[in-house]
Amino acid sequence: IAQQESLSRPDCKVVSINWGPWDGGMVCAALKRKFAKSGIELIPLNAGAMCMLYEMQGDNNSPAEVVISANLISPRANNSVETTCLAARQSPGEPPDEKLSLTLKREIDLDRYPILEAHILDGKPVVPFALITEWLAHGALHENPGLLLHGLDDMRIFHGIKLDGSKKVIRLLAGKPRKKESIFEVNVEIRDGLQDGIDIIHYGATAILADTLEAPPVFNIAEDIASKPYAKSMDEIYEKILFHGFELRGLQEIMGYSSRGMVARISAAPSPAKWMKEPLRTKWIGDPLMLDSAFQMALIWCFEENSAVSLPSYSASYRQYRTVFPADGVTAVLEVKEASRRKMKGDFTFLDSDGVVVAQLTGYEAVIDASLSRAFKTRHAA
């Protein structure tokens, strides 16, 4: 496109920059480690900005396609702006990333985890993001007995865990707890085996642990969020929109929706032993069916508002305010904060029968993609 535009607009400077990874934005500590092990250096923010200015200074005859990466460039001392740009290297004075220790290793297959039969995408079992939150929480609590899970921050999906007919071996890794006022922060990751000599990081987060849980915030459902009645039945939703099997059909009723969000009644998860053999714990740390059903709400909302389905990609913050979730389920409120054709962002609040906040998940992001419908339909066909 840049080449075409540069030819059709001879008086306009057109450039398409293919950037290497920057030392900021979505490049968190886990991703930094992954890049470092691959021999990929990061572009410092100031140097990246100077690179942008340098390319903008070029005339109309300069290339329309540019690749900028800290590994591919070498410093030139004859031009101060260019030197800043071309010498983009990670500062040697930065402290090394924290070394994580192995807390647990597990084999994942359909025999050990029959729940995965209910979460099949494009013909392959995929570990649900909601179940991953339990594993991340367990990884943080394993070496910190006596503390409680208060939440998970900066939860990221790097590579989803898919089964390709054989078992997968995953590892839970955790760092040392860092005291921060009344809480402790623990970096946690889920990895599997080496690929080309490099650890594959699937998920990462910062677990928030505490001696006691904070009191829940007060929350009132905005009247306009559930202003429209929802006509489709639960059977129709699961047969025509969602891909989830019977065990993950946690939505009891959609009480209403609008362009601002959705309100639904959600079932509680059964015991871990119902979903898997040899569970990590006899009781859930949170409630994975509650979380997965919330993500299903976001998927339905995207389908109704954008005619395309979505999958979770990121969560900024999750907080829970009790150690035992209601056995009769919760009311979930989705508040959509931002939406485009490619992405939706929103917050979830989970309420008990008395309207008291059980948990909140904020800064949720989902990728919207029309091509996902084909992967969903593969499940229905199966």
Side-chain angles (χ1 to χ4, degrees):
I1 293 173
Q3 288 182 345
Q4 292 172 355
E5 290 296 325
S6 65
L7 292 173
S8 63
R9 302 171 186 268
D11 296 326
C12 181
K13 164 66 179 172
V14 179
V15 61
S16 172
I17 302 176
N18 182 10
W19 293 101
W22 284 48
D23 189 11
M26 294 182 69
V27 179
C28 61
L31 200 50
K32 283 184 183 181
R33 287 192 290 274
K34 183 175 180 180
F35 282 134
K37 289 177 181 178
S38 303
I40 300 172
E41 297 177 25
L42 303 180
I43 300 173
L45 297 179
N46 288 340
M50 293 305 296
C51 285
M52 181 72 177
L53 294 174
Y54 178 74
E55 295 302 331
M56 290 172 66
Q57 290 174 7
D59 60 27
N60 296 359
N61 295 319
S62 57
E65 293 178 274
V66 178
V67 178
I68 299 177
S69 168
N71 296 74
L72 301 176
I73 52 186
S74 59
R76 296 180 186 175
N78 60 346
N79 184 307
S80 58
V81 174
E82 191 174 358
T83 299
T84 306
C85 174
L86 298 180
R89 304 245 174 224
Q90 185 153 352
S91 169
E94 287 187 3
D97 288 323
E98 177 188 17
K99 182 177 176 61
L100 304 184
S101 301
L102 179 69
T103 61
L104 192 71
K105 184 185 289 187
R106 298 286 280 185
E107 290 186 346
I108 310 297
D109 59 21
L110 288 177
D111 182 59
R112 294 175 177 85
Y113 288 83
I115 187 61
L116 299 184
E117 289 275 19
H119 201 260
I120 293 177
L121 271 170
D122 204 17
K124 296 177 181 178
V126 179
V127 179
F129 189 30
L131 188 55
I132 292 297
T133 62
E134 279 287 318
W135 293 352
L136 291 171
H138 178 85
L141 291 170
H142 188 73
E143 298 296 329
N144 296 286
L147 295 178
L148 304 171
L149 179 79
H150 191 32
L152 290 161
D153 285 351
D154 200 28
M155 279 193 291
R156 296 175 184 269
I157 299 176
F158 299 114
H159 299 283
I161 301 176
K162 276 185 189 176
L163 299 184
D164 297 311
S166 59
K167 68 182 179 183
K168 263 195 186 299
V169 177
I170 65 160
R171 293 170 294 144
L172 296 177
L173 296 99
K176 300 290 186 183
R178 303 182 302 275
K179 188 79 166 69
K180 188 175 181 181
E181 298 177 351
S182 62
I183 62 168
F184 297 86
E185 295 181 342
V186 179
N187 290 336
V188 283
E189 287 181 0
I190 295 177
R191 304 181 188 176
D192 67 9
L194 298 177
Q195 180 174 310
D196 298 327
I198 301 169
D199 255 345
I200 304 301
I201 303 172
H202 286 282
Y203 302 88
T206 299
I208 309 300
L209 310 182
D211 294 306
T212 57
L213 302 182
E214 294 178 3
V218 176
F219 180 82
N220 296 306
I221 302 175
E223 293 182 3
D224 59 341
I225 285 182
S227 60
K228 299 178 186 178
Y230 194 73
K232 294 183 178 71
S233 68
M234 291 298 103
D235 287 341
E236 190 177 2
I237 288 171
Y238 281 108
E239 290 303 320
K240 295 185 178 180
I241 302 175
L242 302 177
F243 63 92
H244 304 74
F246 179 77
E247 293 80 2
L248 288 176
R249 296 185 176 186
L251 289 174
Q252 297 177 12
E253 176 191 5
I254 295 179
M255 301 156 69
Y257 89 104
S258 70
S259 61
R260 286 201 56 209
M262 182 178 288
V263 179
R265 189 69 191 162
I266 289 176
S267 301
S271 68
K274 298 286 187 181
W275 280 14
M276 63 198 75
K277 297 178 181 178
E278 300 179 3
L280 297 176
R281 293 167 179 256
T282 57
K283 295 182 180 179
W284 298 114
I285 299 170
D287 189 312
L289 185 58
M290 176 190 78
L291 282 179
D292 197 82
S293 299
F295 303 157
Q296 295 173 32
M297 290 171 62
L299 195 160
I300 295 167
W301 185 92
C302 291
F303 178 83
E304 297 295 349
E305 295 294 316
N306 292 285
S307 300
V309 291
S310 65
L311 287 176
S313 61
Y314 175 73
S315 169
S317 178
Y318 167 73
R319 291 291 182 275
Q320 63 182 51
Y321 299 97
R322 61 181 72 181
T323 56
V324 179
F325 283 65
D328 59 348
V330 295
T331 296
V333 182
L334 164 62
E335 298 175 277
V336 176
K337 300 298 184 180
E338 183 182 329
S340 67
R341 292 179 61 84
R342 295 292 182 183
K343 181 187 289 188
M344 72 86 68
K345 297 181 181 181
D347 299 338
F348 292 100
T349 300
F350 305 93
L351 308 167
D352 67 12
S353 57
D354 296 320
V356 178
V357 174
V358 175
Q360 286 186 315
L361 189 148
T362 58
Y364 171 82
E365 295 183 11
V367 175
I368 302 172
D369 192 339
S371 67
L372 287 171
S373 296
R374 186 167 54 253
F376 285 21
K377 289 176 182 176
T378 302
R379 164 71 194 186
H380 295 314

